Amino acid sequence: MLDLLPLRWFAKFQDGGIANQFFMALMVTIPVLNFGMLMGWQSPMTPILQSPDGPAPEPISDETISWMASVTFFPSIFCGVLVGDLADRWGRKTTTMLTSLMLVISWSITMFSLRPWALITSRAVAGLACAGCYVVTPLYLKEIASDKIRGALGSLFILVQNLGYLVVYVAGDMLSFAAVMWLCTAIPVLHLLIFLVMPETPVFLVKQGKYKEARVALAWLRHTSVDDKNLEEEVQQMEREEEYARSIKKASWKSIVQDKTTFQAFRIALNVMLSQETCGYLVVLMYAGSIFDQASQSISLKLSPNKQTIVVGVIQLLGSIVASCIVEKTGRKWLLASTSLATGLSMLSLGLWFYITSLSIWLPGWLPVLAMCLCIFSDAAGYQPVPYVIMSELFSFQHRGMVTSFISSVDALSDFLQTKAYDPMIKLVGIHWVFIFFSIICFLGTMYTVLYVPETKDRSVEEIYALLEDGRQKEKRKDVEKAEKKEAREIGNEVSRL
């Protein structure tokens, strides 16, 4: 009996092609894994690069390190829209492979030279990969997933990115500088070779009129035969959506703005993504070492800088695993609202701790560590992954690429400004006010989610838009009722005067 349990579990996991879809999702997110490694690489490698005895020809200055951190997001500001257009023209598969190619070039530049110009150029090339990761990967995950695991696959995006952080943190602590470089370069090279045999998304194949190839790709993803009745219905639904898309005007920003429901969906997607990107998560990660140092003064918490980053990476990864496990059970809306609230409370606690201790009032050192851990965990468990899931579910595929690329460009601009303004803001107003400001953003994000964000779990785009339209009609009825009451009061006042 016990021997059959693993077989039954595997059969259940393979039902509907869940195993194939998860395997495909993992393959699609390998560039995101490597990009996470690239972003995390700077933390364990900065002391080595700045050491007089390090591998760099000369110690790298703080100014160069600052530009390395921020310039990664700069190309994405301008290339996000371009990558979205490439994904619609050349396909999700080709654009994903181009993303890996940019990562190979980025790592190769660093291996070739460790001079400041090479390090900054390498990160700028990685910015092109950043645009690919944040634009194409959510599209790919949405278009290969069946409805019942759509949220779980979508949340893999942040989980794999956080896994990349942890991998490079551990590698930086255990391996030599050269070994870490070879590991980071080998991953996108292997991905380029393996991804050649991976299928294009069925949605894009239908869009290209390749219906036979779409059936074959979908049959593999659903672990069924090409002649399966349910498969045929799914392909026909894609064909109907494509025919409808061709019958209307070409998707454009004008069509988004003119259609009130689509424009409302765009505003929701933009607001939840901006709330996520400006919640101060990057600042907490940057200030984690200082928080550990402050805590070590009052409690016995002696960790090396590399061990500190590993602890942060483990917390991030655990939060991401929780998100992937519960997002289909809790739904998108309330998971986003609860984690944004928890992140806001953590930020507020950090701000108050730094403010009170700046007045020479003693507070226990474990408080900021606990607040920081809660902030990192709750952010990874919902505040980071869920907006990507919601954004991909709010639009039909003719608008999805365009909107995703634009919002990704806005997010990249936000990240660039945050990383460059981080030090000046702390010097101007103090770290406590920076954390308190970010907590306010989190609380506003919570309120917005509760009031305006629809639940997208297990709903088609048409059903989601029907909810949005119903909400607008209720608002219109309220406005009409208010106008009628106001008019009645005015008439009553006129009668009383007579």
Side-chain angles (χ1 to χ4, degrees):
M1 182 70 179
L2 290 175
D3 293 339
L4 294 176
L5 287 177
L7 295 175
R8 290 177 180 174
W9 180 87
F10 181 76
K12 184 178 180 181
F13 192 62
Q14 188 58 272
D15 181 43
I18 294 177
N20 287 2
Q21 291 172 60
F22 266 98
F23 172 75
M24 185 67 192
L26 290 173
M27 291 302 303
V28 168
T29 53
I30 284 178
V32 180
L33 170 79
N34 195 242
F35 182 72
M37 294 174 70
L38 185 139
M39 293 300 296
W41 176 86
Q42 192 165 327
S43 179
M45 294 303 144
T46 293
I48 297 175
L49 292 173
Q50 292 188 319
S51 170
D53 301 323
E58 57 189 46
I60 304 301
S61 66
D62 289 338
E63 182 67 18
T64 300
I65 296 296
S66 172
W67 274 107
M68 287 172 63
S70 57
V71 79
T72 309
F73 302 107
F74 191 71
S76 303
I77 299 170
F78 307 101
C79 296
V81 176
L82 174 62
V83 171
D85 186 60
L86 288 179
D88 286 336
R89 289 175 182 270
W90 295 358
R92 286 36 168 160
K93 177 179 176 178
T94 302
T95 313
T96 300
M97 294 181 70
L98 285 174
T99 301
S100 281
L101 179 61
M102 291 299 104
L103 287 167
V104 172
I105 295 172
S106 173
W107 288 115
S108 299
I109 293 172
T110 307
M111 292 187 73
F112 173 75
S113 175
L114 292 176
R115 293 193 177 277
W117 68 266
L119 291 170
I120 294 174
T121 303
S122 168
R123 306 294 281 201
V125 173
L128 301 176
C130 173
C133 289
Y134 284 85
V135 174
V136 182
T137 306
L139 297 179
Y140 220 129
L141 293 174
K142 167 69 173 67
E143 293 177 3
I144 64 173
S146 54
D147 289 343
K148 60 184 178 181
I149 59 169
R150 196 170 59 194
L153 288 193
S155 62
L156 278 179
F157 179 85
I158 295 297
L159 190 156
V160 171
Q161 177 179 286
N162 289 338
L163 177 61
Y165 278 104
L166 182 58
V167 167
V168 83
Y169 291 160
V170 174
D173 191 51
M174 298 178 65
L175 303 177
S176 66
F177 182 88
V180 173
M181 290 302 304
W182 280 109
L183 172 66
C184 293
T185 308
I187 290 175
V189 171
L190 291 174
H191 179 259
L192 269 175
L193 298 174
I194 297 172
F195 210 72
L196 287 169
V197 299
M198 292 293 108
E200 177 60 87
T201 70
V203 171
F204 181 78
L205 291 172
V206 168
K207 191 174 182 180
Q208 297 297 303
K210 300 176 180 178
Y211 301 116
K212 184 178 179 180
E213 290 92 331
R215 284 182 175 84
V216 172
L218 193 62
W220 181 79
L221 287 168
R222 303 295 184 262
H223 191 61
T224 186
S225 67
V226 180
D227 302 322
D228 184 83
K229 184 179 178 181
N230 293 329
L231 183 80
E232 185 62 29
E233 290 177 359
E234 195 169 348
V235 173
Q236 287 178 359
Q237 176 64 27
M238 293 180 190
E239 291 176 4
R240 286 193 294 270
E241 289 178 358
E242 176 60 19
E243 288 174 5
Y244 173 73
R246 289 178 177 175
S247 67
I248 61 177
K249 293 181 179 179
K250 185 180 178 181
S252 63
W253 285 108
K254 185 178 180 181
S255 66
I256 291 175
V257 173
Q258 288 181 338
D259 186 283
K260 292 183 178 179
T261 307
T262 306
F263 189 55
Q264 185 180 358
F266 169 73
R267 293 200 309 272
I268 290 171
L270 181 61
N271 285 329
V272 296
M273 288 298 295
L274 274 179
S275 171
Q276 173 229 49
E277 290 296 329
T278 57
C279 72
Y281 186 57
L282 285 174
V283 174
V284 171
L285 294 180
M286 289 177 183
Y287 218 70
S290 176
I291 293 172
F292 277 116
D293 290 340
Q294 295 267 7
S296 67
Q297 296 174 13
S298 56
I299 58 177
S300 14
L301 186 67
K302 302 293 183 182
L303 294 175
S304 67
N306 281 350
K307 294 294 191 299
Q308 293 171 9
T309 55
I310 290 172
V311 169
V312 170
V314 169
I315 296 170
Q316 282 180 299
L317 186 61
L318 288 175
S320 301
I321 292 171
V322 169
S324 295
C325 292
I326 69 174
V327 67
E328 293 296 352
K329 296 179 180 179
T330 61
R332 297 16 163 182
K333 176 172 182 169
W334 294 109
L335 180 58
L336 178 59
S338 59
T339 51
S340 61
L341 177 62
T343 304
L345 291 172
S346 305
M347 291 283 185
L348 182 61
S349 301
L350 283 169
L352 292 176
W353 189 90
F354 277 106
Y355 177 70
I356 293 172
T357 53
S358 69
L359 301 176
S360 300
I361 299 174
W362 182 88
L363 285 177
W366 56 264
L367 278 175
V369 175
L370 178 63
M372 180 192 69
C373 292
L374 177 60
C375 175
I376 293 171
F377 180 85
S378 57
D379 199 89
Y383 208 3
Q384 285 297 311
V386 173
Y388 288 103
V389 178
I390 291 175
M391 180 174 64
S392 68
E393 293 177 335
L394 278 175
F395 301 96
S396 59
F397 64 84
Q398 58 261 38
H399 287 131
R400 197 177 297 137
M402 183 194 313
V403 171
T404 302
S405 58
F406 175 79
I407 293 178
S408 295
S409 296
V410 175
D411 289 345
L413 176 61
S414 168
D415 289 338
F416 175 76
L417 293 175
Q418 281 186 77
T419 51
K420 285 306 292 179
Y422 167 66
D423 284 331
M425 283 295 293
I426 288 178
K427 292 174 182 176
L428 181 65
V429 299
I431 185 64
H432 50 281
W433 284 116
V434 173
F435 279 126
I436 291 171
F437 171 75
F438 284 132
S439 72
I440 293 171
I441 291 178
C442 294
F443 294 144
L444 290 175
T446 303
M447 291 176 59
Y448 183 85
T449 301
V450 172
L451 294 174
Y452 299 108
V453 177
E455 178 54 70
T456 60
K457 176 179 175 287
D458 295 334
R459 289 191 172 116
S460 64
V461 174
E462 291 77 14
E463 291 170 333
I464 295 169
Y465 282 17
L467 280 176
L468 296 178
E469 289 174 0
D470 183 56
R472 279 211 324 277
Q473 289 171 359
K474 287 181 180 178
E475 289 297 322
K476 285 181 180 179
R477 286 196 293 270
K478 287 181 182 179
D479 291 341
V480 170
E481 289 174 1
K482 286 180 181 178
E484 290 175 348
K485 287 179 181 179
K486 182 178 179 181
E487 186 178 355
R489 283 197 300 269
E490 290 175 352
I491 293 174
N493 291 336
E494 288 292 333
V495 172
S496 61
R497 283 197 293 270
L498 293 174

